[in-house]
Amino acid sequence: MSAQPPTIPLLTPYKMGKFNLSHRIVLAPLTRQRSYNNIPQPHAILYYSQRTSQGGLLIAEASGVSDTAQGYPDMPGLWTREQVEAWKPIVDAVHAKGGVFFCQIWHAGRVSNSGFQPNGQAPISCTDKPLPPQLLTNGVDIAQYTPPRRLKTDEIPQIVNDFRLAARNAIEAGNLSFKLNINQNFNILATWKMLFRYIGFDGVEIHGAHGYLIDQFMKDQVNDRTDEYGGSLENRCRFALEIVEAVVNEIGAEKVGIRLSPFADYMESADSDPKALGLYMSKSLNKYGILYCHMVEPRMKTAGDNSETPDSLLPMREAFKGTFIAAGGFDREDGNNAVAEGRADLVAYGRFFLANPDLPKRFELNAPLNKYNRETFYTSDPVIGYTDYPFLETTA
């Protein structure tokens, strides 16, 4: 009898809530800046469907929750009907190939300038502290940021509501289908819901990482408020948890995830006690019963650098009761080890998945990977550096 091939942990099935995933390799949410005028474009149909496998989880790029959410050119949105309609064929294409599709909902906060804001106004944040100019990832260009306007306490519920509405729009970004449930008690609203439902995104991921608005509230390097949204750890996390609660109440906890980066100092948004922040959020999220927590490793290493043992997220992983997704410079070996050792249920890949649309197949065969081209990460071209990375069979 021939020996069975060794089990590849990343390619073992996993049940995430009601979703039966065929493997544990997740497409991380990746900003691509190809949604002209903040409207998703037809070329995204090919991009996402290329990276879809039966039973695979994909997280769509950060999508703005309002016209004040923008901080970069040509980011998609979910605050207008035109944007929702533009997402529909993209969502349908992923579902047609059997993928599970979540959309990351996002607000840039102070990581913006007046050129991206309605009527040229200042971007909003928890603070009025300006963000200094930042060297972009291409190593050449410098981004300039307009000093932000500190949100008034009574304005914060409106921002929370923007996230709620964006979540609802994400679920509606699909076709309307007929569904009958004769066990449901009769009333007008329940009858509508039991007869019809949108087959849009399967859920949303709240972007609470990488120095954007929610992260700005949570991190004490940025948050200098003296009201109930500033000061103590509990107060600084209040905004994030209010958003979680609003989104859960709108679309259901089984459709909600969140991304956090407590250890990161991206966009000068650091915290003096990141471990305490990560633990507090991990435990607090359990109250809402959300589907998953997606957390970024502190190492923030470059691909191929295996110098640091990725175990800093373990306390958060143990504290959170739902599915735990780890991200942050994982390669095939790191990802397999994280799953095998119980440090993560799923592993999100960004640059590798960007450059290898068939990444699960390549990991299965331990095949060589295409090299990514950083210079084309954020260009506006609808093909180059976007849908032209070759599949394994075309490079054999």
Side-chain angles (χ1 to χ4, degrees):
M1 182 181 293
S2 61
Q4 294 294 317
T7 300
I8 301 172
L10 281 170
L11 296 174
T12 55
Y14 177 77
K15 186 170 179 58
M16 182 181 73
K18 66 179 181 180
F19 304 108
N20 294 308
L21 304 182
S22 60
H23 58 78
R24 300 171 185 245
I25 302 165
V26 179
L27 174 66
L30 298 169
T31 294
R32 303 311 314 273
Q33 294 182 215
R34 289 166 168 87
S35 295
Y36 312 139
N37 297 316
N38 306 128
I39 299 171
Q41 297 294 308
H43 45 249
I45 299 172
L46 178 58
Y47 172 75
Y48 282 110
S49 62
Q50 283 180 333
R51 287 154 184 81
T52 302
S53 55
Q54 177 70 38
L57 173 61
L58 298 83
I59 307 171
E61 60 208 276
S63 299
V65 299
S66 72
D67 58 357
T68 69
Q70 301 306 304
Y72 303 101
D74 297 327
M75 298 283 285
L78 270 170
W79 73 88
T80 71
R81 184 50 48 185
E82 185 179 10
Q83 291 163 345
V84 173
E85 291 297 321
W87 272 116
K88 288 183 177 181
I90 305 167
V91 173
D92 290 345
V94 170
H95 284 160
K97 293 185 69 175
V100 177
F101 205 14
F102 274 55
C103 187
Q104 188 182 73
I105 54 177
W106 165 83
H107 196 299
R110 70 172 185 165
V111 187
S112 184
N113 65 57
S114 57
F116 294 113
Q117 297 298 311
N119 303 314
Q121 64 194 34
I124 57 175
S125 180
C126 62
T127 182
D128 56 10
K129 290 189 294 187
L131 179 64
Q134 303 287 311
L135 180 67
L136 297 180
T137 53
N138 62 16
V140 177
D141 296 323
I142 302 291
Q144 303 286 339
Y145 302 101
T146 303
R149 178 179 69 82
R150 184 192 306 270
L151 281 165
K152 299 175 183 177
T153 306
D154 61 5
E155 292 179 301
I156 291 176
Q158 178 57 53
I159 311 303
V160 173
N161 194 54
D162 289 339
F163 276 87
R164 180 187 67 82
L165 293 174
R168 183 175 73 188
N169 287 341
I171 300 304
E172 293 182 358
N175 293 319
L176 194 63
S177 71
F178 182 82
K179 181 184 180 183
L180 182 61
N181 181 358
I182 61 175
N183 294 320
Q184 193 160 355
N185 292 330
F186 180 83
N187 63 55
I188 294 176
L189 179 60
T191 300
W192 188 93
K193 287 184 175 179
M194 78 178 181
L195 291 178
F196 298 100
R197 64 189 178 112
Y198 285 96
I199 309 299
F201 280 104
D202 296 294
V204 300
E205 176 179 282
I206 298 165
H207 195 345
H210 294 160
Y212 299 117
L213 183 62
I214 296 175
D215 202 36
Q216 290 160 29
F217 269 86
M218 289 192 288
K219 302 285 184 64
D220 59 11
Q221 181 184 12
V222 183
N223 189 335
D224 57 357
R225 302 179 72 90
T226 57
D227 62 0
E228 59 264 41
Y229 292 93
S232 69
L233 177 58
E234 292 79 5
N235 282 355
R236 287 183 279 115
C237 293
R238 186 185 307 276
F239 178 60
L241 295 175
E242 286 182 349
I243 289 172
V244 170
E245 181 175 26
V247 171
V248 164
N249 289 341
E250 182 65 35
I251 66 172
E254 73 282 1
K255 298 177 183 177
V256 179
I258 190 169
R259 195 179 210 205
L260 302 170
S261 59
F263 293 93
D265 59 0
Y266 189 65
M267 292 296 174
E268 300 197 5
S269 185
D271 194 78
S272 60
D273 194 345
K275 183 175 180 180
L277 172 60
L279 273 173
Y280 178 80
M281 284 297 296
S282 298
K283 294 175 181 177
S284 298
L285 290 168
N286 292 327
K287 172 185 175 182
Y288 306 99
I290 65 171
L291 183 63
Y292 72 76
C293 179
H294 180 184
M295 201 167 285
V296 181
E297 285 281 355
R299 54 187 174 169
M300 297 296 286
K301 68 175 190 176
T302 56
D305 172 13
N306 294 305
S307 60
E308 186 174 345
T309 303
D311 58 2
S312 299
L313 298 184
L314 187 57
M316 294 76 172
R317 191 265 191 279
E318 293 173 342
F320 181 69
K321 303 305 181 186
T323 293
F324 193 84
I325 305 176
F330 283 89
D331 58 19
R332 181 180 184 271
E333 181 182 3
D334 288 342
N336 280 322
N337 289 340
V339 172
E341 296 167 8
R343 290 185 280 108
D345 297 305
L346 309 173
V347 180
Y349 289 87
R351 294 164 295 188
F352 284 154
F353 223 147
L354 180 155
N356 297 273
D358 52 355
L359 187 66
K361 172 61 69 175
R362 289 178 188 255
F363 277 3
E364 177 185 359
L365 302 175
N366 201 15
L369 301 181
N370 299 324
K371 296 185 183 301
Y372 55 82
N373 181 2
R374 190 180 296 275
E375 293 182 359
T376 61
F377 282 0
Y378 309 112
T379 64
S380 61
D381 194 285
V383 176
I384 297 173
Y386 192 58
T387 57
D388 61 345
Y389 283 103
F391 286 75
L392 189 60
E393 58 265 26
T394 64
T395 59

